[in-house]
Amino acid sequence: MCGVIGYTGKQSAATVIMDGLARLEYRGYDSAGVATVFNGDLHLKKGVGKLEEVEAACLLSRLPGNTGIGHVRWATHGGVTMENAHPHVDCLNYIAVAHNGILENYQKLRRRVVSRHKLVSETDTELIAHLIEEYLVPGAPLEQAVTKAVKEIKGTYALVVTSTVEPNKIVATRCGSPLVLGLGKGENFISSDFQAFLPYTREVVFLDDGETVVMTPGKVHILSASGKKTRKDSVVLDVDLAVREKNGFDYFMLKEIFEQPQAILSAINQEKSALKKAANLVNNSQSVVFTACGSSRYASLIGRYMFSKIAHRFSDVIISSEFCYFGDSVDENTLVIAVSQSGETADVIEGVIEAQSRGAKILSIVNTIGSTLARMSDCVLYLNCGTEFGVAATKSFLSELVILYLLSFSLAGRQEEAEEELKRISELMDENLRLNNDEVPKAALKLAGHDKFYYIARGINFAVAGEASLKLKEIAYVHSEGMSAGELKHGTLALVEEGTPVIAIAPCDDTHEHILSNISEVKARGAYIIGLSDKPDKLFDIHIEIPRVNEYYYPLACIVPLQLFAFHSSIARSLDPDRPRNLAKSVTVT
Ligand code: M6R
């Protein structure tokens, strides 16, 4: 997590950087800071809180100069304090460093640095500023000092460095964290995400691990890992600028929930050749393994059911952070399907690197064009749902499901049939959203006093229970558990007491009869039942209506009212659903 940006050119660096940081804030909002170089001095301002709060308190955008760096933080080493906010500086206030990543040899480095330098923070990043200070030799270029300092650090980093010694220069380097160079006319940019500078240039170079960029307003060169000048081709991006508009909604999350009928249609709009290539990869593999985290993992679990039901293909789903422990079973006959909205999740990328090292092919399902995962895959299917600003995955989760439905049906040569039903669901979902946006807030308000919830489901809907529960934890800070209803009697039932809210996902599919029996079991122990179904039932204390869809498609119909339930539960608790505490949209640390 964390977002970094650097700018050198003719414009006010602080203005360009603040504009970019607003588009990087999805990567962290614990603190923010900007450092510029002006008249031979370093000017630095930083503070704790969301970007707009720090700006209101410190006026970051008013810093002088045409060269500078900026940072939004998601805390790793050191708490959320002013001192730990980036950029960090050396003892003499000559060098400023912003960092995304985490150093593994932090303790050792700290012991090495602490006796010789004045440390003001608990961060790993400040140690890098002091290492650069040690290697900075009068008359020698900044990049030489950065390259030497980097040799001492282990871990992941995207580093952006500026210095008063060479006032128009930015040096940036990466290992395991993304970094993109933006080439302008008389100005250059570097950032964790090209969206940060997309209003100024679309010509970019994606850096690889070990590479270092040295940029001034009129010149850029790239050094390879061995320190030699290297040529890299730029690409001109054909992507839309992510517009941070709420379009009349109070929150991005609610807007994105309401965008889902359209998201279905956008996801259907796939390059036919890409879908065909993806299906061939599945057909030509001996084993198929999904890997993903969080919501994308729940989507993968539904994909697994669909592969089995429609294509009769067995597959497994491995949490990306656990993937390395299964490496022994992966070889050149394995297809790994990596599912990730951001395409930058470090755990996913680490799993994919492990799989590639064993010869596996990679099919990825991602939203972000140009993301690290997309660039390392043999085949990519894009979600096409536009930028998702809410930290909680909503339209991206649904779009992942749509792609997995399309892929499953195309494996069986039935892609058109899936497209027809998905279009129909898009219309039904639109109506259902309006209905439930009136009804679901009442249920959320009624249950706002409860601090534990259970979501139960069977079969293909089991993963919906997990995803809905994750939403509630993430944005309403309520403990909840999403379970296979059949598992209740094996232990968890002991926790159900008078009034315990149990949200039962009970659509009219092949799980209906069975889930009703499970509902009876919990109701007999006093549970308060919120039943999600296209058919009312006397067992339900509250009935949340879903549209009737064809067999297999109920996860799409069920998740939407449950997203609304989590959203309104967050609002009922006076929380900010868009920026939940301790989290970030893109999880770039392992
Ligand atoms: O970008 P990804 O899909 O790889 O992200 C994976 C998870 O971090 C993400 O789905 C997370 O669980 C969501 N915030 C949940 O709403």
Side-chain angles (χ1 to χ4, degrees):
M1 287 103 123
C2 299
V4 295
I5 181 168
Y7 171 79
T8 181
K10 295 188 200 75
Q11 303 188 58
S12 148
T15 308
V16 175
I17 289 168
M18 285 300 284
D19 186 26
L21 287 181
R23 264 174 261 115
L24 290 176
E25 214 192 357
Y26 72 90
R27 304 177 73 89
Y29 37 82
D30 287 339
S31 61
V34 176
T36 57
V37 179
F38 181 64
N39 271 352
D41 287 324
L42 207 56
H43 296 257
L44 170 68
K45 286 193 172 173
K46 53 189 183 177
V48 169
K50 294 167 185 160
L51 188 64
E52 72 257 23
E53 294 164 355
V54 182
E55 169 65 1
C58 311
L59 298 174
L60 304 172
S61 60
R62 301 228 185 132
L63 284 168
N66 309 110
T67 297
I69 62 173
H71 187 267
V72 282
R73 180 169 189 243
W74 182 83
T76 54
H77 282 296
V80 180
T81 64
M82 210 330 250
E83 291 72 26
N84 292 335
H86 298 216
H88 289 281
V89 295
D90 65 313
C91 297
L92 301 171
N93 223 28
Y94 285 173
I95 303 157
V97 180
H99 169 212
N100 162 214
I102 187 159
L103 299 194
E104 284 158 18
N105 58 339
Y106 167 76
Q107 295 294 353
K108 193 172 153 209
L109 276 182
R110 198 172 167 94
R111 281 196 299 275
R112 157 160 162 19
V113 167
V114 73
S115 56
R116 301 212 289 263
H117 299 268
K118 187 170 156 272
L119 295 181
V120 294
S121 79
E122 303 154 281
T123 64
D124 45 0
T125 310
E126 190 190 357
L127 305 178
I128 303 172
H130 293 296
L131 287 178
I132 298 172
E133 176 188 353
E134 288 195 3
Y135 288 115
L136 196 62
V137 177
L142 175 64
E143 57 271 27
Q144 185 178 301
V146 172
T147 316
K148 285 186 177 164
V150 157
K151 287 212 170 78
E152 286 206 41
I153 64 182
K154 286 200 178 65
T156 57
Y157 51 86
L159 286 177
V160 181
V161 184
T162 193
S163 162
T164 56
V165 175
E166 290 175 273
N168 293 324
K169 188 184 265 187
I170 305 263
V171 177
T173 186
R174 66 159 275 182
C175 176
S177 300
L179 210 46
V180 196
L181 167 67
L183 300 169
K185 292 205 176 10
E187 58 182 1
N188 290 301
F189 308 78
I190 187 91
S191 183
S192 310
D193 181 344
F194 57 73
Q195 282 286 344
F197 54 70
L198 208 55
Y200 309 100
T201 181
R202 290 176 170 267
E203 188 179 357
V204 304
V205 179
F206 291 101
L207 295 185
D208 289 312
D209 280 352
E211 291 176 339
T212 301
V213 165
V214 183
M215 62 187 217
T216 55
K219 209 167 169 197
V220 170
H221 65 262
I222 299 173
L223 304 173
S224 68
S226 62
K228 297 223 165 60
K229 275 194 186 170
T230 180
R231 249 197 72 80
K232 284 198 84 165
D233 290 335
S234 62
V235 287
V236 178
L237 295 169
D238 179 20
V239 290
D240 293 331
L241 177 69
V243 185
R244 286 183 66 85
E245 289 293 339
K246 293 192 188 131
N247 290 353
F249 288 91
D250 288 338
Y251 293 93
F252 283 114
M253 183 178 174
L254 192 60
K255 170 179 169 261
E256 286 156 6
I257 290 174
F258 271 84
E259 281 172 356
Q260 291 180 110
Q262 177 55 44
I264 295 182
L265 304 179
S266 305
I268 292 174
N269 195 11
Q270 288 295 317
E271 289 271 341
K272 293 279 176 283
S273 58
L275 206 53
K276 200 164 166 208
K277 187 174 172 195
N280 284 341
L281 280 172
V282 177
N283 287 330
N284 295 336
S285 64
Q286 275 173 17
S287 59
V288 177
V289 184
F290 290 90
T291 190
C293 307
S295 296
S296 297
R297 184 177 76 91
Y298 289 118
S300 305
L301 285 167
I302 293 167
R304 179 183 189 223
Y305 275 89
M306 288 303 292
F307 269 39
S308 174
K309 280 183 187 294
I310 305 301
H312 305 248
R313 273 303 299 257
F314 180 78
S315 57
D316 209 343
V317 178
I318 300 176
I319 298 176
S320 297
S321 53
E322 296 289 317
F323 193 89
C324 57
Y325 308 111
F326 286 92
D328 302 318
S329 310
V330 174
D331 62 20
E332 63 282 2
N333 299 313
T334 310
L335 174 69
V336 172
I337 305 183
V339 184
S340 171
Q341 186 284 130
S342 60
E344 297 294 350
T345 301
D347 288 328
V348 179
I349 288 164
E350 200 170 83
V352 164
I353 291 171
E354 164 86 21
Q356 282 180 323
S357 74
R358 292 170 186 272
K361 291 258 182 318
I362 312 296
L363 161 62
S364 64
I365 299 176
V366 299
N367 196 27
T368 311
I369 296 167
S371 58
T372 306
L373 180 59
R375 285 182 291 117
M376 59 201 291
S377 303
D378 297 288
C379 175
V380 188
L381 296 173
Y382 287 102
L383 305 185
N384 300 335
C385 67
T387 304
E388 188 174 61
F389 288 101
V391 165
T394 52
K395 63 175 180 175
S396 66
F397 172 79
L398 195 93
S399 305
E400 287 169 355
L401 291 189
V402 171
I403 305 284
L404 289 164
Y405 276 82
L406 286 177
L407 183 58
S408 310
F409 276 94
S410 56
L411 289 175
R414 294 164 59 191
Q415 189 185 327
E416 269 118 48
E417 175 190 330
E419 285 177 6
E420 282 315 302
E421 180 61 1
L422 288 164
K423 282 181 195 155
R424 196 177 75 89
I425 292 172
S426 161
E427 283 170 24
L428 295 172
M429 189 178 284
D430 212 30
E431 284 165 35
N432 185 255
L433 260 166
R434 285 171 223 287
L435 168 81
N436 278 325
N437 204 37
D438 287 336
E439 296 306 314
V440 170
K442 295 177 200 156
L445 201 59
K446 183 164 186 182
L447 297 166
H450 288 268
D451 60 3
K452 63 174 183 188
F453 283 72
Y454 297 93
Y455 289 79
I456 59 169
R458 300 187 75 100
I460 197 166
N461 307 308
F462 162 39
V464 178
E467 168 61 6
S469 157
L470 179 66
K471 290 287 91 89
L472 193 71
K473 285 187 269 201
E474 186 178 21
I475 59 167
Y477 311 159
V478 174
H479 180 75
S480 73
E481 204 174 327
M483 303 198 51
S484 148
E487 277 291 289
L488 267 173
K489 57 187 177 295
H490 298 290
T492 310
L493 199 53
L495 293 170
V496 173
E497 52 197 349
E498 199 57 42
T500 303
V502 173
I503 301 186
I505 301 170
C508 291
D509 60 5
D510 60 344
T511 67
H512 190 67
E513 291 309 316
H514 220 148
I515 188 87
L516 288 182
S517 329
N518 298 130
I519 294 172
S520 303
E521 287 159 17
V522 280
K523 199 162 172 86
R525 272 91 185 167
Y528 185 83
I529 307 295
I530 302 96
L532 194 81
S533 184
D534 36 346
K535 188 172 167 197
D537 196 285
K538 60 180 182 329
L539 288 169
F540 303 160
D541 295 298
I542 295 177
H543 174 210
I544 297 178
E545 206 174 311
I546 57 165
R548 179 148 302 180
V549 298
N550 281 349
E551 197 187 11
Y552 309 135
Y553 292 87
Y554 277 102
L556 295 154
C558 291
I559 191 59
V560 177
L562 296 176
Q563 294 166 344
L564 278 177
F565 181 75
F567 172 82
H568 289 292
S569 298
S570 175
I571 299 296
R573 288 166 176 79
S574 304
L575 300 172
D576 176 358
D578 281 345
R579 287 181 288 191
R581 69 183 175 205
N582 305 338
L583 302 179
K585 183 76 185 158
S586 185
V587 185
T588 56
V589 290
T590 55

